[in-house]
Amino acid sequence: MTVRVRIGPSPTGEPHVGTAYIALFNLAFARQQGGQFVLRLEDTDQERSRAEWERQILEGLGWLGLTWDEGPDVGGPYGPYRQSERLDIYRAHVDQLLATGHAYRCFATKEELETLRAEQKAAGRSLGYDRRSRDLSETTIQAELAAGKPYVVRMKAPLEGKVLVEDRLRGPVEFDAAQVDDQILLKSDGYPTYHLANVVDDHLMEISHVIRAEEWISSTPKHVLLYQAFGWKPPIFIHMPLLRNADKSKISKRKNPVSLLDYRQRGFHPRAVVNFLAQLGFTMPDQRELFDFDEFVLALDWDRVILGGPTFDLDKFSWLNGKWFRERMSSEELTDFLRDELFSRDRIAALVPMMKERIDVGEQFIPGTDYFFRGEVELPIELLRPKRHGLAELAKVLETALEAFEHHTPFEAGSLEALGRQVAEEAGWKAGELFMPLRVALTGRKASPPLFNVMVVLGRALMRRRLRSAIDLAKATAKQEQRAAAKAKKKG
Ligand code: GLU
């Protein structure tokens, strides 16, 4: 069998470490088996997909050296590799399922479905679609179509029997077909859902092994039913263990940086990142912890993957990175790495326009810009404290601001500032009342070059890290002060 594997990232946010983790196992398996690795962009969520995220995902994976043989940028014989450019293909496949009775149209309006949900809730019944349109008469369907009513297409899942999912790491897993809902396949905007597009593409792109995160395992019965409905042979499924925070919850940005940008900005070396990801849920036959991609390709064996949910341990990650600096890189290589990542010409060039007005001699440049080069800044709470508002309130407003900035594209000063003003206004604050603590959080100072220019040059990752620290500090201090005040009141 020719091994063909793929990743299907959705361009709805910054490149995620989980995506890199899955990409790594796919690529290593493809290399080991002499197969191909495909990158397919699953951009069927029109509202959340952005060109900037797409670019960053490709760039982030490229930074790690996880390169693909076929993809939207390099092309290939199975393209297009962007799902939004394959709408005709999905439409044709949906028509096929409608014709063979494996799918049906549902014309229910949003209001009707909301009423259904409310009724179900009131009756304490399980929530879900009630299959109301499963057996509409042909006359009704034609009348609704003629009236131009919008509709979705749903899968006609069997009402009894079992669905067998074969997972290479878990063996066969049986599901009750009745538990599989009549999944939407085609949305009313003409876009496919993940399930339909994913199955159709994996088949047409001749994917032999689907290596993906464990969180998709519950979708697999739907996929297997779709393969059956089309009369296709499903690929081999390999669901990799879920990465976890130290407290065993699913990895999340509240507890761990999850964007590749964060690690790059912190000065992790791409080869150490690959090494760290490769030992999550996988051990080398000789237990060695320091190894590179080529060694991993030779050793990769699905029988050595442990399903326990490996912990994403930042201390271990830093330790391993240090080992790479010391044991696997010459001083020459480390010099180049530091120059390129920290002191690149682009980086300095971005700072110069801001600093030109502020320095007379070169030696003032470093002290004037040090906060661009460090991870955390010192954050005196008295600088952060707003005059007219409490710290708890500040924490809340900063959280809202962070959430807004983080998801805003493009990351550009003018529109970030407008967003900042909007957040302030919605909170009932004057813009300046928010901008001062923002500046302090980002720079550790009360005076700096224009705030939003600073934010752009810091970049998303540092912006996020510093605002998080400020929010945590404001919250903790507010709590302390509240407790102290309560104590004083009791005494007094
Ligand atoms: N679009 C899915 C994702 O964002 C792909 C999941 C899969 O590999 O099937 O991860």
Side-chain angles (χ1 to χ4, degrees):
M1 172 197 332
T2 315
V3 166
R4 286 181 52 81
V5 293
R6 76 342 179 238
I7 52 166
S10 296
T12 52
E14 287 176 42
H16 197 281
V17 282
T19 304
Y21 176 59
I22 297 299
L24 170 63
F25 279 78
N26 272 283
L27 175 65
F29 187 58
R31 289 294 163 269
Q32 182 188 68
Q33 302 292 317
Q36 288 108 41
F37 173 46
V38 177
L39 186 141
R40 176 175 76 223
L41 282 165
E42 302 207 333
D43 59 346
T44 54
D45 184 338
Q46 282 197 84
E47 246 162 57
R48 291 168 58 226
S49 296
R50 296 270 184 291
E52 179 171 346
W53 302 135
E54 179 178 320
R55 183 179 57 73
Q56 287 198 11
I57 290 169
L58 302 193
E59 218 177 272
L61 294 172
W63 168 61
L64 295 178
L66 303 174
T67 48
W68 41 98
D69 305 302
E70 299 167 28
D73 52 342
V74 292
Y78 295 83
Y81 294 92
R82 208 178 265 111
Q83 289 187 328
S84 59
E85 294 167 17
R86 300 171 63 82
L87 299 182
D88 294 350
I89 300 175
Y90 308 126
R91 179 82 245 186
H93 282 84
V94 164
D95 287 343
Q96 186 185 329
L97 291 181
L98 283 170
T100 54
H102 288 101
Y104 61 92
R105 295 181 181 86
C106 176
F107 297 90
T109 61
K110 221 166 129 200
E111 292 72 40
E112 282 165 355
L113 294 176
E114 267 160 23
T115 313
L116 166 70
R117 221 160 292 142
E119 280 169 9
Q120 285 179 334
K121 215 168 170 187
R125 268 184 293 132
S126 74
L127 299 176
Y129 174 68
D130 60 357
R131 301 183 151 129
R132 60 179 55 191
S133 305
R134 205 171 146 106
D135 298 305
L136 291 185
S137 72
E138 195 52 35
T139 340
T140 314
I141 295 171
Q142 289 311 327
E144 301 277 42
L145 285 177
K149 257 190 115 176
Y151 61 88
V152 300
V153 177
R154 287 183 177 268
M155 169 164 85
K156 205 171 213 171
L159 299 176
E160 51 193 24
K162 301 274 182 209
V163 193
L164 188 69
V165 173
E166 288 274 352
D167 181 277
R168 171 67 181 78
L169 304 179
R170 293 164 185 78
V173 191
E174 237 185 26
F175 294 82
D176 274 332
Q179 298 299 320
V180 180
D181 55 9
D182 284 0
Q183 177 63 49
I184 295 182
L185 302 175
L186 195 73
K187 297 180 272 187
S188 53
D189 63 1
Y191 270 63
T193 55
Y194 154 70
H195 306 284
L196 178 82
N198 191 267
V199 164
V200 167
D201 286 349
D202 282 345
H203 174 74
L204 295 179
M205 295 182 180
E206 295 186 42
I207 298 302
S208 61
H209 297 71
V210 165
I211 305 165
R212 64 181 166 201
E214 192 172 76
E215 60 181 306
W216 301 104
I217 211 167
S218 56
S219 298
T220 313
K222 291 177 191 169
H223 299 182
V224 169
L225 287 175
L226 276 173
Y227 281 102
Q228 287 172 2
F230 282 118
W232 297 335
K233 185 171 168 279
I236 294 166
F237 292 104
I238 301 172
H239 288 94
M240 293 298 292
L242 209 59
L243 306 183
R244 297 184 188 280
N245 298 311
D247 63 4
K248 289 284 156 199
S249 55
K250 176 182 162 187
I251 191 172
S252 67
K253 66 176 179 185
R254 289 264 169 269
K255 300 189 177 137
N256 259 312
V258 292
S259 162
L260 286 183
L261 302 186
D262 285 286
Y263 294 99
R264 183 164 193 179
Q265 181 274 319
R266 281 171 193 237
F268 281 84
H269 194 279
R271 293 172 72 188
V273 179
V274 165
N275 185 171
F276 178 70
L277 294 176
Q279 55 83 56
L280 290 173
F282 173 81
T283 47
M284 283 301 230
D286 61 1
Q287 312 290 321
R288 115 188 85 120
E289 290 187 289
L290 204 64
F291 55 91
D292 69 12
F293 178 75
D294 292 339
E295 296 166 79
F296 178 52
V297 168
L298 288 177
L300 175 59
D301 173 354
W302 300 119
D303 290 333
R304 299 198 63 80
V305 173
I306 306 143
L307 289 177
T311 307
F312 199 97
D313 178 344
L314 202 50
D315 291 334
K316 176 161 189 200
F317 196 178
S318 305
W319 168 83
L320 192 66
N321 196 67
K323 274 192 104 61
W324 267 84
F325 281 178
R326 286 182 284 281
E327 295 176 23
R328 287 277 181 128
M329 290 170 72
S330 65
S331 295
E332 188 94 351
E333 283 170 319
L334 185 52
T335 303
D336 287 345
F337 170 70
L338 291 176
R339 183 201 53 203
D340 295 345
E341 290 296 322
L342 279 174
F343 309 113
S344 69
R345 196 176 187 288
D346 285 354
R347 190 116 193 256
I348 311 287
L351 294 174
V352 164
M354 288 191 232
M355 295 309 292
K356 227 174 156 182
E357 300 300 321
R358 294 176 160 75
I359 59 171
D360 298 316
V361 288
E363 68 172 9
Q364 293 164 339
F365 185 77
I366 298 274
T369 57
D370 67 331
Y371 54 90
F372 286 100
F373 295 94
R374 48 204 315 162
E376 303 278 352
V377 286
E378 238 177 275
L379 208 55
I381 188 71
E382 291 320 317
L383 281 192
L384 199 60
R385 192 187 295 275
K387 285 205 181 69
R388 289 199 318 129
H389 304 280
L391 282 174
E393 207 187 330
L394 172 69
K396 251 201 196 145
V397 180
L398 285 180
E399 295 238 17
T400 314
L402 170 56
E403 184 72 14
F405 296 147
E406 197 172 25
H407 297 110
H408 182 72
T409 65
F411 203 64
E412 169 272 315
S415 58
L416 284 169
E417 176 168 349
L419 203 58
R421 289 185 186 280
Q422 192 186 325
V423 169
E425 195 184 307
E426 278 164 19
W429 287 31
K430 290 204 188 97
E433 291 177 320
L434 171 62
F435 291 1
M436 183 46 93
L438 261 184
R439 182 189 309 274
V440 171
L442 292 181
T443 66
R445 311 164 175 220
K446 281 183 96 154
S448 78
L451 175 59
F452 291 93
N453 293 354
V454 168
M455 188 184 281
V456 168
V457 177
L458 282 172
R460 276 181 211 281
L462 260 187
M463 180 275 297
R464 172 168 47 234
R465 185 170 174 189
R466 301 234 176 115
L467 289 190
R468 268 271 126 238
S469 297
I471 291 163
D472 291 346
L473 177 68
K475 269 192 193 158
T477 315
K479 226 188 217 159
Q480 253 174 26
E481 291 178 351
Q482 217 175 19
R483 243 184 267 134
K487 226 176 169 180
K489 206 170 157 196
K490 227 172 156 185
K491 262 196 188 159

